[in-house]
Amino acid sequence: MPQDLIVGLDIGTTKICAVVGEVRDQQLDIVGLGSAPTGGGLRKGVVVNIENTVKAIRRAVEEAETMAGCEIRSVYAGVGGGQTKVIHSQGIIAIKEREVTPADMDRVIDTAPHRGYPLRPEVIHTLVQEFLIDGQDGIKTGGHPRGAPGVQGPHRHRGRPGAQ
């Protein structure tokens, strides 16, 4: 699949939809569509029959491939339903070298407690909102704190847990 193609997959309760877009002149042109009923494979956004769900995904993707004249190897999938939610959390670490390193940034994200996450589900996405160094807030993610001096590095983030 050429790099200028983007494929989206929406897994809904009643149908699966696939869409292929081609980037041309900084615009996205739709070049392929496919959809298939789930056949009762999902209920309220939760997979209840994996076989029917997989068949519907394959049918929708094949239809979109045929229309676009391409082979789909990867997609951006929409994940929704009652089993997902957003939890706000924050973590804190001691900065070992008195200067923030990329490893410190990874460590502080990993230490964020999962309060409010039922049964410790898999976190499928984390969006860092800001970093704080020695109580100084307002360090947005665009202004990474790499190389900043400090001894304590908390952060705030939003996590999206999902059913495993």
Side-chain angles (χ1 to χ4, degrees), residues 15-35:
K15 68 180 175 180
I16 309 292
C17 295
V19 60
V20 180
E22 184 175 9
V23 179
R24 295 183 197 152
D25 300 321
Q26 297 182 340
Q27 292 187 52
L28 187 64
D29 295 332
I30 304 303
V31 295
L33 295 169
S35 69

Side-chain angles (χ1 to χ4, degrees), residues 52-75:
N52 286 357
T53 303
V54 169
K55 284 180 186 175
I57 291 170
R58 284 192 178 131
R59 276 193 305 256
V61 168
E62 287 169 1
E63 206 174 285
E65 284 176 329
T66 301
M67 184 181 281
C70 69
E71 182 181 344
I72 295 173
R73 296 174 191 239
S74 65
V75 301

Side-chain angles (χ1 to χ4, degrees), residues 85-93 106-123 125-126 153-161:
K85 63 181 181 172
V86 174
I87 303 287
H88 294 269
S89 187
Q90 71 181 47
I92 188 166
I93 62 163
D106 290 339
R107 234 171 10 102
V108 74
I109 291 167
D110 290 342
T111 65
H114 298 288
R115 280 174 279 184
Y117 291 2
L119 304 174
R120 302 263 315 161
E122 180 179 350
V123 176
H125 179 70
T126 299
H155 89 294
R156 293 187 185 111
H157 80 258
R158 284 182 275 181
R160 183 176 295 277

Side-chain angles (χ1 to χ4, degrees), residues 6-7 29 46 69 71 79 83 104-105 117 124 130 134 162:
I6 298 172
V7 181
D29 295 332
V46 177
E71 182 181 344
V79 178
Q83 73 278 12
D104 291 326
M105 293 168 61
Y117 291 2
I124 57 175
E130 72 177 335
D134 294 341

Side-chain angles (χ1 to χ4, degrees), residues 28-50:
L28 187 64
D29 295 332
I30 304 303
V31 295
L33 295 169
S35 69
T38 61
L42 289 102
R43 185 173 301 128
K44 296 183 181 178
V46 177
V47 175
V48 294
N49 183 319
I50 191 74

